[in-house]
């Protein structure tokens, strides 16, 4: 029997899997009562190894490039990329996906991480406290790469839609069988739109985002695979209409479960059992987020298995040699003694290994520096651009001709501060204590107006409508246009190429820059 834990950010699920079927499932809420029930569950269960799979909205994915390198240079490059994209979490990983065919022929890599590690840390601490061997922490979208073959999905541009909880669906984009992007979308639709309408709307939003990130060209054909409960399949097949660039297909949970070889019922009414079976059926899946300290008990277990196997092999060899020399009883005793000495030597090696693992290798000064760093992080925590980005993204969704290429964000007690200001010099003393309630969120947006053809006035109108909606939203007490799509200053010089050399893309792109300051307390009449 094998065990798998599945964490959704809201609760922890525990599955028992044996003989190709799920034998039992337990649920624990992310509160004090849930933690206590989880501790009792681990205390009463045999100490078998577990695998932990996560499906959280706080998981981010980034595509980057890395030069070809080896040894220490490669380790330094990997560490630099991890720090660049996910500085504040230890739950992060880098996967080399392919080698580029142009330029320096760098590697294309996927960097992913859990941006809110505190949600998972409490559960992992309980697992380690009960000395349960943790084989690894696995990302559900990355595990989903193994589902493409079962779905008979096209190798190019596949979008897989699944639902692992009641409140959200996950959209994972794969190209050449490799994950490029994944996001959780809250389920919001009314009775008129229906579930199929909601899916179709979110698919088109994802397509626009992929095109803006240059992960998909407008001429590419997208294959959308919707994994859904059986009762939704008729509605999806009636209302999901594709076109020359979009092809829909839907498959029910029971049908996909049979393809995966699952016997009996799935553990829940969602698709988490499908991903759990894919992960549990692999003998040695690649760990994603568990650092070596979190897998200490797993390494101890492997060491015990190896030592026991070596001891057993030695003992069998000794008995075999003794049996061959049964007539010479004295030789038999010597072989037995030799086997015991060999077993004792392995036991001493095992004890030495345990002592080496238990030694803490860091000096006290390094520990103090780490503690001081954590205190600095704690003192500056509490402000994120989540609310500002949520408001801005809603406005962007309604203005597809306005694209975003860069965003700089700052939370500062000075309302006139700008995101471009430089941090204080290292080692400079702080004059005032950090007070989260007095900080104001300020951001600059840079992007382009696209798709306006040859009408520059049309581009200006599109941009003005976008700015007016930001001001009318009530969320900002300052919306300042720092650069318009076209320089209309009376002192500005007009320059350009009106000949045939001016290409279409050059005529249809106009850059802008905005400064936004989030209103303290939100729009009038809206609390917090």
């Amino acid at each position: 029997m094998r065990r798998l834990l599945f964490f959704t950010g809201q609760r922890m699920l525990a599955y028992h899997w044996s003989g190709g079927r799920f034998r039992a499932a337990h649920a624990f809420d992310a509160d004090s009562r849930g933690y206590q029930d989880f501790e009792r569950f681990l205390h009463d269960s045999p100490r078998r190894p577990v695998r932990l799979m996560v499906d959280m909205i706080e998981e981010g994915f980034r595509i980057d490039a890395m030069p070809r390198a080896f040894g220490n240079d490669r380790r330094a490059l990997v560490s630099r990329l991890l720090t660049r994209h996910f500085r504040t979490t230890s739950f992060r990983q880098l996967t080399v996906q392919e080698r580029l065919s142009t330029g320096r022929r760098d590697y294309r890599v996927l960097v992913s991480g859990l941006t809110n590690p505190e949600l998972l840390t409490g559960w992992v601490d309980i697992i380690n406290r009960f000395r349960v061997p943790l084989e690894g922490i696995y990302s559900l979208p990355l595990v989903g790469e193994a589902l493409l073959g079962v779905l008979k999905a096209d190798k190019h541009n596949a979008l897989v839609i699944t639902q692992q909880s009641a409140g959200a669906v996950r959209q994972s984009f794969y190209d050449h069988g490799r994950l490029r992007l994944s996001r959780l979308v809250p389920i919001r639709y009314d009775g008129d739109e229906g579930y199929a309408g909601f899916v179709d709307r979110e698919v088109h939003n994802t397509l626009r985002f992929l095109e803006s990130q240059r992960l998909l060209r407008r001429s590419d054909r997208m294959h959308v695979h919707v994994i859904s409960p059986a009762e939704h399949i008729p509605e999806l097949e009636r209302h999901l209409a594709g076109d020359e660039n979009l092809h829909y297909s839907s498959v029910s949970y029971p049908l996909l479960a049979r393809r995966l070889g699952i016997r009996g019922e799935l553990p829940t009414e969602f698709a988490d059992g499908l991903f759990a079976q894919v992960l549990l059926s692999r003998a040695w899946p690649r760990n994603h987020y568990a650092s070596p300290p979190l897998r200490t008990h797993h390494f101890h277990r492997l060491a015990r298995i190896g030592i026991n196997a070596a001891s057993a092999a030695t003992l069998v060899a000794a008995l075999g040699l003794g049996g061959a020399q049964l007539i010479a009883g004295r030789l038999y005793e010597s072989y037995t003694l030799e086997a015991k000495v060999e077993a004792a030597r392995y036991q001493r090696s095992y004890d030495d290994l345990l002592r080496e693992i238990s030694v803490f290798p860091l000096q006290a000064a390094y520990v103090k520096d780490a503690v001081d760093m954590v205190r600095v992080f704690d003192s500056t925590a509490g402000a994120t651009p989540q609310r500002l980005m949520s408001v801005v993204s809603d406005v962007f969704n309604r203005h597809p001709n306005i694209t975003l290429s860069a965003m700089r964000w700052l939370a500062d007690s000075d309302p006139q501060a700008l995101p471009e200001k430089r941090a204080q010099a290292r080692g400079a003393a702080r004059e005032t204590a950090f007070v989260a309630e007095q900080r104001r969120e300020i951001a600059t947006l840079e992007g382009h107006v696209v798709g306006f053809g040859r009408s520059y006035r049309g581009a200006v109108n599109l941009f003005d409508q976008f700015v007016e909606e930001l001001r009318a939203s009530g969320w900002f007490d300052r919306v300042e246009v720092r650069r318009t799509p076209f320089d209309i200053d009376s002192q500005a010089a007009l320059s350009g190429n009106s000949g045939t050399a001016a290409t279409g893309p050059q005529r249809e792109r106009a850059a802008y820059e905005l400064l936004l300051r989030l209103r303290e307390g939100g729009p009038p009449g809206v609390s917090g």
Side-chain angles (χ1 to χ4, degrees):
M1 180 177 290
R2 311 188 74 171
R3 294 194 303 180
L4 180 133
L5 302 176
F6 178 58
F7 184 60
T8 65
Q10 301 296 326
R11 62 176 183 168
M12 178 74 76
L13 301 174
Y15 303 141
H16 294 274
W17 186 76
S18 175
R21 68 175 69 231
F22 291 95
R23 302 294 181 178
H26 307 271
F28 310 95
D29 294 328
D31 54 23
S32 58
R33 176 66 179 273
Y35 288 146
Q36 294 174 1
D37 292 342
F38 186 62
E39 290 177 354
R40 284 194 294 270
F41 168 77
L42 294 181
H43 180 269
D44 298 336
S45 302
R47 194 177 297 170
R48 294 192 180 96
V50 299
R51 298 175 181 179
L52 174 56
M53 183 168 59
V54 295
D55 180 37
M56 301 168 56
I57 196 171
E58 293 85 0
E59 185 176 12
F61 300 87
R62 306 286 188 273
I63 295 293
D64 209 327
M66 183 181 73
R68 190 181 183 189
F70 303 94
N72 292 333
D73 293 337
R74 180 185 179 89
R75 285 188 287 271
L77 286 172
V78 171
S79 177
R80 190 178 308 158
L81 286 174
L82 291 173
T83 304
R84 178 194 304 171
H85 294 291
F86 300 97
R87 181 183 300 273
T88 61
T89 178
S90 61
F91 299 112
R92 57 191 184 182
Q93 68 92 37
L94 181 145
T95 301
V96 177
Q97 294 191 330
E98 63 180 350
R99 191 172 183 187
L100 302 177
S101 58
T102 59
R104 298 182 308 178
R105 300 192 65 195
D106 292 345
Y107 290 115
R108 176 182 282 119
V109 297
L110 174 71
V111 187
S112 63
L114 305 182
T115 58
N116 191 359
E118 291 79 10
L119 294 177
L120 188 60
T121 301
W123 301 98
V124 175
D125 290 343
I126 295 175
I127 294 173
N128 277 333
R129 189 163 67 249
F130 283 84
R131 304 178 67 85
V132 176
L134 178 63
E135 295 187 30
I137 301 176
Y138 307 92
S139 169
L140 182 140
L142 288 170
V143 173
E145 291 178 349
L147 272 181
L148 298 179
V150 183
L151 289 171
K152 301 177 182 179
D154 191 276
K155 292 184 178 180
H156 306 288
N157 305 329
L159 183 66
V160 179
I161 300 177
T162 60
Q163 183 177 354
Q164 286 71 242
S165 62
V169 297
R170 178 167 288 280
Q171 299 186 44
S172 300
F173 174 66
Y174 302 92
D175 184 25
H176 292 83
R178 292 290 192 174
L179 179 69
R180 295 288 192 262
L181 177 74
S182 184
R183 67 189 188 107
L184 273 177
V185 181
I187 298 178
R188 300 192 187 98
Y189 65 89
D190 52 29
D192 295 333
E193 183 184 31
Y195 182 78
F198 160 76
V199 170
D200 186 68
R201 168 166 52 86
E202 291 301 329
V203 166
H204 284 84
N205 289 340
T206 301
L207 289 179
R208 286 193 293 269
F209 180 80
L210 292 173
E211 292 172 357
S212 67
Q213 297 297 312
R214 297 184 179 180
L215 295 175
L216 186 70
R217 296 174 299 183
R218 294 190 177 183
S219 59
D220 291 339
R221 183 174 177 82
M222 172 70 78
H223 300 268
V224 181
H225 302 271
V226 184
I227 304 176
S228 171
E231 57 267 25
H232 286 322
I233 297 300
E235 177 189 357
L236 293 171
E237 291 178 348
R238 284 196 307 269
H239 297 287
L240 291 182
D243 52 32
E244 64 275 5
N245 292 329
L246 188 63
H247 175 263
Y248 282 106
S249 64
S250 56
V251 59
S252 66
Y253 295 159
L255 177 59
L256 194 55
R258 288 194 296 272
R259 292 183 185 176
L260 289 170
I262 299 177
R263 304 173 184 175
E265 298 292 334
L266 291 172
T268 67
E269 67 272 26
F270 302 111
D272 47 288
L274 303 174
F275 291 92
Q277 198 277 343
V278 170
L279 180 57
L280 289 171
S281 61
R282 294 187 175 184
W284 300 97
R286 179 180 179 270
N287 167 59
H288 298 143
Y289 295 137
S291 59
L294 298 180
R295 305 175 71 196
T296 298
H297 301 299
H298 173 61
F299 295 146
H300 289 178
R301 175 177 173 269
L302 295 179
R304 285 194 299 270
I305 293 174
I307 292 174
N308 291 336
S311 299
T314 303
L315 184 58
V316 169
L319 292 175
L321 292 173
Q325 302 293 330
L326 185 59
I327 299 176
R330 293 180 181 178
L331 292 179
Y332 173 80
E333 292 179 357
S334 66
Y335 289 142
T336 303
L337 179 61
E338 181 182 350
K340 291 181 179 180
V341 171
E342 190 72 11
R345 185 170 68 84
Y346 278 108
Q347 186 63 45
R348 287 195 299 272
S349 300
Y350 172 65
D351 294 337
D352 293 340
L353 177 61
L354 286 182
R355 284 194 294 271
E356 292 177 2
I357 294 177
S358 301
V359 173
F360 193 68
L362 298 181
Q363 299 179 9
Y366 297 158
V367 177
K368 181 179 180 300
D369 292 342
V371 172
D372 293 340
M373 183 178 297
V374 171
R375 288 176 177 171
V376 172
F377 288 162
D378 288 341
S379 66
T380 57
T384 68
Q386 178 180 0
R387 182 171 62 170
L388 186 144
M389 293 178 68
S390 175
V391 174
V392 172
S393 63
D394 288 342
V395 179
F396 270 107
N397 285 339
R398 292 188 289 274
H399 294 271
N401 296 93
I402 309 299
T403 65
L404 178 66
S405 59
M407 173 178 173
R408 290 185 293 274
W409 175 83
L410 174 70
D412 200 288
S413 58
D414 181 9
Q416 303 303 321
L418 297 177
E420 296 86 350
K421 78 174 187 178
R422 296 291 185 264
Q424 296 179 352
R426 182 179 299 176
R430 297 171 61 94
E431 297 181 359
T432 58
F434 173 79
V435 182
E437 291 76 3
Q438 297 178 355
R439 295 189 296 170
R440 302 294 299 276
E441 296 185 35
I442 306 169
T444 57
L445 309 181
E446 297 180 8
H448 299 83
V449 182
V450 300
F452 54 85
R454 302 184 179 183
S455 173
Y456 297 127
R457 171 52 57 187
V460 174
N461 290 338
L462 293 173
F463 179 72
D464 289 343
Q465 293 172 8
F466 173 70
V467 174
E468 287 303 318
E469 184 166 346
L470 286 173
R471 289 170 174 163
S473 67
W475 280 96
F476 306 100
D477 58 7
R478 182 180 179 186
V479 179
E480 177 183 331
V481 180
R482 303 179 72 180
R483 183 173 63 186
T484 61
F486 300 97
D487 191 354
I488 56 175
D489 193 330
S490 60
Q491 302 300 322
L494 179 64
S495 64
N497 186 354
S498 61
T500 59
T503 63
Q506 291 174 332
R507 294 194 303 266
E508 297 181 3
R509 294 176 63 88
Y512 70 86
E513 182 177 355
L514 289 175
L515 176 66
L516 307 177
R517 186 174 66 191
L518 197 64
R519 185 186 300 276
E520 193 170 11
V526 178
S527 62

